[in-house]
Amino acid sequence: MKTWPWFRIALGALLLAAIALAVTFRDRLDPAALETWIAGFGITAPVVFVAVYALASVLFLPGMVMTLAGGALFGPVWGTLINLLGATLGAMAAFLVARYLGADWVSRRLGGRLKELVAGVEAEGWRFVAFVRLVPLFPYNLLNYALGLTRIRLLAYIVATFVFMAPGAFAYTYVGYAGRQAVAGGEAAIQTGLIALALLAAVAFIPRLVKRVRGAASWISAPQLAAQLAGDNPPVVVDVRSPKEFRGELGCIDGALNLPLDELESRLHELPADRPLALVCHTDRRSRTAARLLQGRGYTQVAVVRKGMTAWRR
């Protein structure tokens, strides 16, 4: 049993050395030479390409080069599927390596705000994976390892990765295919190039659309809140009115946490990161402002009580 920690250390050191070597020589990666080499495998070329793509993902080699090469080699449809398989297998491999090597160690040492942040990511599960695949806030290769350090379920991670990387994979695969068509020449090359530009424009718009949808506050009615408070997983009610209003004629909801809007940001440590939050004020104006603030700080399970305490009293 004592050999296992040393085995993990040796495996981690070997992986770091391989990544360092790959990153050092990544500028020498020639897409044209890669395509020629893969094409030489004939009927088994797709299998070889998937394996190479997966290995490239683990070693922090640029996935864009692989995706463009996949489009040039296999066309827009099969190329997208083959690219997705390679990227997903690589993401899964990095995820499992990180989980095996460091998940337990990281979980024992997390604390404070970072622990709450990780708990929020784990609570979101596949939804967080879907979001970061559609909106690439972090580098793809690094994100694969980082998510492996959480307790997100493997199956949810794999499915969300495959499904929500598909739009970008198709667009960039088509760009690779369009590049091959342009080299070949002909009238179809212009049309193919225009389609590729349209797809890139659509992919560039996706992050803005997702952020807008995700940033929009969720709403809950007073009767719905009452039903949830009586359920098995009740939300934490956060009343963002002033202390005077909290004790005023409208009263307050039993068990509510009073965090006035102007104090909310400085008192975020009082909020649980792994439970849903229901925000309430006199109507719902301050609650909407509070929801935007919390979502900007990484809180994802946030709902605004429509019409606030006015509706609750009715």
Side-chain angles (χ1 to χ4, degrees), residues 124 214-222 224-225 228 234-240 253 264 271 275-281 283-284 286-295 299-308:
E124 281 286 281
R214 190 176 176 85
S218 298
W219 292 89
I220 183 174
S221 67
Q224 288 173 327
L225 175 61
Q228 289 184 9
V236 175
V237 179
V238 181
D239 194 319
V240 297
I253 299 173
L264 183 59
L271 293 174
R275 288 184 60 188
L277 306 176
L279 306 181
V280 65
C281 62
T283 55
D284 51 40
R286 282 173 286 179
S287 298
R288 279 179 286 169
T289 301
R292 288 193 293 270
L293 188 154
L294 291 174
Q295 288 170 333
Y299 290 86
T300 54
Q301 301 181 82
V302 179
V304 174
V305 180
R306 193 180 299 276
K307 301 301 181 183

Side-chain angles (χ1 to χ4, degrees), residues 13-214:
L14 182 63
L15 177 63
L16 289 175
I19 291 173
L21 186 64
V23 170
T24 300
F25 293 100
R26 66 190 301 174
D27 293 335
R28 299 187 185 183
L29 184 61
D30 185 349
L34 176 65
E35 292 175 26
T36 302
W37 180 68
I38 294 291
F41 286 92
I43 195 171
T44 61
V47 177
V48 174
F49 184 85
V50 167
V52 172
Y53 199 134
L55 182 62
S57 300
V58 172
L59 297 181
F60 282 77
L61 290 174
M64 184 65 69
V65 172
M66 299 300 302
T67 304
L68 295 175
L73 283 167
F74 308 111
V77 178
W78 283 108
T80 299
L81 179 60
I82 291 168
N83 280 332
L84 273 175
L85 285 174
T88 303
L89 283 175
M92 180 183 71
F95 179 93
L96 289 174
V97 167
R99 177 157 291 182
Y100 174 71
L101 292 179
D104 292 341
W105 185 86
V106 169
S107 66
R108 290 194 300 268
R109 285 160 177 78
L110 280 179
R113 181 62 181 148
L114 185 58
K115 184 176 182 179
E116 294 178 359
L117 180 62
V118 171
V121 169
E122 292 171 344
E124 281 286 281
W126 73 267
R127 291 182 293 272
F128 181 83
V129 179
F131 176 69
V132 295
R133 294 308 186 194
L134 284 172
V135 184
L137 298 173
F138 303 99
Y140 159 78
N141 305 90
L142 181 61
L143 186 66
N144 297 332
Y145 284 98
L147 290 174
L149 299 175
T150 70
R151 291 180 295 180
I152 292 176
R153 295 175 59 187
L154 176 62
L155 181 60
Y157 170 80
I158 294 172
V159 173
T161 294
F162 185 88
V163 171
F164 292 96
M165 281 201 307
F170 179 69
Y172 290 109
T173 300
Y174 201 97
V175 170
Y177 167 71
R180 172 58 62 87
Q181 292 291 99
V183 171
E187 296 181 0
I190 297 177
Q191 181 180 0
T192 304
L194 291 175
I195 293 174
L197 287 175
L199 288 172
L200 286 177
V203 169
F205 180 72
I206 286 176
R208 184 181 301 178
L209 178 63
V210 172
K211 286 181 180 179
R212 181 175 298 177
V213 172
R214 190 176 176 85

Side-chain angles (χ1 to χ4, degrees), residues 265-277:
E265 189 162 14
S266 63
R267 297 175 62 184
L268 291 178
H269 61 279
E270 299 181 33
L271 293 174
D274 57 346
R275 288 184 60 188
L277 306 176

